[in-house]
Amino acid sequence: MTIFNYTALKDGTSEIVKGKVEADDLREARAAVRALGFTPTNIVEEQAVKKEEKKKPTGKMPKLGLSDQIDFTSTLQILSAAGIPIIESLLFIENDAAKLKIRQVATELRRQIMNGGTFAGTVAKYPEQFGQVYIGLVRAGEDSGELEKTLDRLLELLNKQAAIRSKVIGTLMYPVFVILLAVFIVIVMLVFVFPVFKEMFDSMGMQLPWITRVLMEMGLFLKHNWYGIPIAFFAISAFISFLFRWKPSKWKIDDIVLKVPVLTDLIQYSNFANFIAVMQVAYDAGVPILECLYLSNMTLTNHTLETRVEEATVRVQQGQHLSAALRATRTMPKMILFMIATGEQSGRLGDMLGQATNYIDKQLDTIIDIMTKMIEPIMLIVIGSIVLVLAAALYLPLFASYMGM
């Protein structure tokens, strides 16, 4: 008998528990943990844990971005499909990868595996570099003896996440660029143009409209305190960044954006695109449904959606069907719920999750297309309003002087 250390979720709650069980292999260890009333999320042989503790990393592992993970996993998957052992695959990446950070990652992983570690166990020591979803799927693939297939599914998942990120960023880039350009133009007008006109207006000795006086004063203030412009820019940027990083404010923002009509659809579908994709990959890799939910929930970036899915996880632990548990939270689109329910009833949940992924991709494309068409006229109105205000401030005094002649 072998001793296994486990980390699990307590049934009916989201409480994490840790302990040890004796079993002949990993499958029996999982069954033993479930018999205790827990849902296992991580099970490792105790001897392997002790070896890993003795062999702590000697070098710093560089953080891998999404594109780096895709490059690393793609090469590893191709070499694994060709029947090349993991050590030789990592050696190839170490010598021939285009990016230095990928070569460093391969070097460190190969070194630790050669010292007696497993690929999944070694990757698990670097959650900041790979992420819990990557680690969980690699472990599932290694446990089931289908690491090659899992790497293929994982690569498909990473490419899908990159595509979704690209779509969302591409949608937001245009309005952000237009707003920054508008701010730049306004600052240039206030600092360099309005002070010139002020001298002319003063020589005319006329009463200026309030809008002209306000913008003139702003321009003079910015001209004499120009160093405040970059300070204000960085302060505003830091404040916005703080709002999105500080948990109380981020959670409030996450809740508010789900109440904005079109933005709600974008947030929901972009979050659930990753959620369903991870669930499909994990389910096809043979991961139990509760662990699939646990891994999928890690991909959600909206705290409100994450909290509600955690409630659904508890309902599944209590014996509810996945579709019923998700339906009770009222967070997931009805068509996706219908597909999941159909998959459960027909015993083809993996296939229906794949269909749900395709459906979400199409819906996300439609939503982004609608948002793009909406953003263009809104930006035109914003720019037009700014030009109108600046022009009115400059030309109203001139019109007044002509009328008085």
Side-chain angles (χ1 to χ4, degrees), residues 348-374:
R348 297 171 56 244
L349 181 58
D351 293 338
M352 293 311 296
L353 287 172
Q355 293 294 327
T357 301
N358 295 332
Y359 169 78
I360 292 175
D361 288 343
K362 292 177 182 177
Q363 290 297 113
L364 197 57
D365 287 337
T366 302
I367 292 166
I368 289 174
D369 187 49
I370 292 171
M371 287 192 69
T372 303
K373 290 178 180 178
M374 289 178 59

Side-chain angles (χ1 to χ4, degrees), residues 237-249:
S237 301
F239 178 70
I240 293 173
S241 177
F242 171 75
L243 287 179
F244 280 92
R245 291 176 182 274
W246 189 44
K247 286 185 178 180
S249 59

Side-chain angles (χ1 to χ4, degrees), residues 22 90 112 181 213 223 245 284 299 309 318 332 351:
E22 288 188 2
L90 290 171
Q112 294 192 48
L181 180 62
R213 292 197 307 272
K223 187 174 183 179
R245 291 176 182 274
D284 288 343
T299 66
V309 172
Q318 294 171 345
M332 194 170 284
D351 293 338

Side-chain angles (χ1 to χ4, degrees), residues 26-275:
L26 277 171
R27 291 181 183 276
E28 287 190 13
R30 287 183 184 275
V33 173
R34 292 194 185 93
L36 295 173
F38 303 144
T39 301
T41 59
N42 184 23
I43 299 179
V44 183
E45 185 180 339
E46 187 174 49
Q47 293 299 323
V49 172
K50 289 179 178 179
K51 287 179 181 177
E52 286 178 0
E53 287 176 351
K54 291 177 182 178
K55 300 167 187 172
K56 291 184 179 179
T58 57
K60 286 187 177 181
M61 177 85 77
K63 190 168 184 178
L64 295 178
L66 185 56
S67 61
D68 299 324
Q69 288 188 20
I70 291 173
D71 291 343
F72 175 79
T73 307
S74 175
T75 306
L76 199 61
Q77 187 272 330
I78 292 170
L79 295 174
S80 297
I84 299 173
I86 193 69
I87 293 290
E88 294 181 26
S89 299
L90 290 171
L91 180 61
F92 175 84
I93 296 172
E94 179 183 338
N95 293 328
D96 297 310
K99 295 182 180 178
L100 175 61
K101 62 169 65 175
I102 296 178
R103 295 200 298 271
Q104 291 174 336
V105 167
T107 300
E108 186 63 22
L109 293 178
R110 185 179 65 84
R111 184 190 66 79
Q112 294 192 48
I113 293 173
M114 288 184 68
N115 288 335
T118 62
F119 178 63
T122 304
V123 169
K125 296 200 287 190
Y126 300 99
E128 291 185 1
Q129 282 74 15
F130 292 96
Q132 292 294 344
V133 173
Y134 194 106
I135 292 169
L137 293 177
V138 168
R139 180 180 289 115
E142 199 166 73
D143 289 350
S144 62
E146 295 184 339
L147 182 59
E148 177 192 326
K149 290 183 180 179
T150 302
L151 287 173
D152 188 35
R153 298 183 186 114
L154 189 53
L155 181 60
E156 183 180 347
L157 173 64
L158 293 172
N159 284 321
K160 188 176 292 292
Q161 290 178 342
I164 293 168
R165 180 182 295 183
S166 177
K167 289 177 183 177
V168 175
I169 291 176
T171 305
L172 299 178
M173 279 291 290
Y174 176 69
V176 170
F177 173 77
V178 171
I179 291 170
L180 290 177
L181 180 62
V183 170
F184 175 76
I185 292 172
V186 169
I187 291 174
V188 170
M189 289 288 291
L190 291 177
V191 174
F192 297 103
V193 178
F194 275 83
V196 175
F197 275 82
K198 185 178 188 308
E199 296 177 4
M200 182 182 70
F201 292 148
D202 289 343
S203 65
M204 295 170 63
M206 60 182 298
Q207 180 68 27
L208 298 177
W210 68 268
I211 187 171
T212 306
R213 292 197 307 272
V214 170
L215 293 180
M216 287 289 183
E217 293 299 325
M218 288 177 61
L220 290 172
F221 176 81
L222 292 174
K223 187 174 183 179
H224 293 131
N225 301 276
W226 58 269
Y227 52 84
I229 297 174
I231 294 175
F233 177 78
F234 285 115
I236 292 171
S237 301
F239 178 70
I240 293 173
S241 177
F242 171 75
L243 287 179
F244 280 92
R245 291 176 182 274
W246 189 44
K247 286 185 178 180
S249 59
K250 182 186 181 302
W251 294 352
K252 187 65 178 176
I253 292 170
D254 286 346
D255 189 48
I256 291 172
V257 295
L258 289 176
K259 298 174 183 176
V260 180
V262 179
L263 198 56
T264 300
D265 293 335
L266 178 65
I267 298 298
Q268 277 190 324
Y269 279 100
S270 60
N271 272 265
F272 284 124
N274 288 328
F275 179 89

